[in-house]
Amino acid sequence: MYKVLLVEDETVIRHGLRELIGQSSSQFEVTGEAANGMEALEYLKCDIPDLMFTDIRMREMDGLTLVSKVKEMYPDLPVVIISGYGEFDYARKAIEFGVYKYLLKPIERLELVTTLDKIKLALDHRHGISPSPSQSAMLNESNAGGDTRKLIRDVKEFVKLHTDSDLRLQTVAARVHLNATYLSQLFKAETGMNYSEYVSYTRMERAKWLLANTRLKIYDVARLSGHQSPKHFMLVFKQQVGLTAGDYRDQYGQAGSEDRVKDDV
């Protein structure tokens, strides 16, 4: 049985993660818990776990700072970062610190199982325990699918958070260090839709939300949802939604009628 240190400042979430880890693998047990990075460092002075899970956003000391200090103490300790923030900068920084895995909340059970199985193989190897050929083959197959799912989840999260930015396939592919054509193929296989279609859909959903929930002028809605030309935005909006942007705001929005902008902006 391998020991796990769980670091999370929200008590309810920490208890939930403890249960999820216990349900996902019989080979790992949460034997230590800490509410912040300082508590985790104190724990590590007295005991050495086989694996550490830590949230990335915590009071007093964030997860990345904790990881940097832990790696100075125990360079070989596997660390899994858990975060609700799907930003590539966090993932890239975590990789620089030698984080074993970066999981996004809500954690998918299959992805957690795959991660724990992979870490178990590494720990077994460190202790001279060799897996059977069938176990290795099954793990390699599930890892490939899990890594792809996480990659596409990260890409989709990035698109949602940056609708007003440069979302060309080549730009996003460079962020995840993949060939643009290969990323396009992965995205299509995983989601059933083209990357460009997903970007257009996400931008339109963002525009609809802005129209319904803000008093922004329509040309600002167009800009913030990634549409450079207000007139082109209004044309595309009418084609896809079946209403003009102004009519959509009147029908679904919270803003008053005095905020409506004419379609000939």
Side-chain angles (χ1 to χ4, degrees), residues 119-237:
I119 294 174
K120 178 185 178 297
L121 274 182
L123 292 172
D124 285 348
H125 178 73
R126 185 182 301 175
H127 290 84
I129 304 172
S130 300
S132 66
S134 59
Q135 289 176 322
S136 297
M138 290 176 62
L139 182 58
N140 288 335
E141 182 178 352
S142 62
N143 281 343
D147 289 344
T148 297
R149 283 189 291 273
K150 182 182 183 304
L151 172 68
I152 299 306
R153 281 179 61 195
D154 284 351
V155 169
K156 292 171 70 175
E157 185 76 8
F158 181 83
V159 170
K160 289 179 181 178
L161 293 173
H162 300 83
T163 53
D164 60 339
S165 302
D166 179 5
L167 293 178
R168 288 174 298 174
L169 178 62
Q170 293 82 355
T171 303
V172 176
R175 281 185 166 270
V176 294
H177 309 292
L178 286 180
N179 174 273
T181 301
Y182 182 56
L183 175 59
S184 177
Q185 294 171 346
L186 286 180
F187 197 93
K188 175 71 172 181
E190 187 67 24
T191 67
M193 65 191 306
N194 294 325
Y195 171 77
S196 59
E197 293 173 340
Y198 180 76
V199 171
S200 297
Y201 167 80
T202 303
R203 281 176 163 163
M204 191 56 62
E205 289 300 302
R206 177 62 173 168
K208 289 161 66 176
W209 188 91
L210 289 170
L211 287 169
N213 294 278
T214 75
R215 295 175 179 270
L216 291 169
K217 303 300 184 183
I218 290 182
Y219 55 79
D220 286 325
V221 171
R223 175 178 55 82
L224 292 173
S225 59
H227 300 85
Q228 299 303 315
S229 167
K231 288 187 177 181
H232 181 261
F233 162 69
M234 289 186 287
L235 176 63
V236 173
F237 191 94

Side-chain angles (χ1 to χ4, degrees), residues 34-87:
N36 56 61
M38 298 301 295
E39 285 187 14
L41 292 177
E42 288 300 315
Y43 177 92
L44 289 168
K45 293 178 181 179
C46 304
D47 195 6
I48 304 175
D50 299 295
L51 170 63
M52 184 177 80
F53 279 79
T54 180
D55 193 7
I56 203 169
R57 292 286 183 117
M58 297 182 294
R59 294 179 288 272
E60 295 188 31
M61 180 186 295
D62 65 86
L64 291 181
T65 301
L66 170 62
V67 171
S68 67
K69 294 181 179 296
V70 169
K71 285 299 182 178
E72 292 177 0
M73 300 168 64
Y74 308 113
D76 296 328
L77 177 64
V79 177
V80 175
I81 286 279
I82 302 173
S83 174
Y85 297 83
E87 299 179 8

Side-chain angles (χ1 to χ4, degrees), residues 14-29:
R14 189 169 68 250
H15 290 174
L17 288 173
R18 181 182 62 197
E19 294 298 320
L20 183 59
I21 292 171
Q23 295 168 5
S24 299
S25 176
S26 61
Q27 302 301 313
F28 290 89
E29 179 183 6

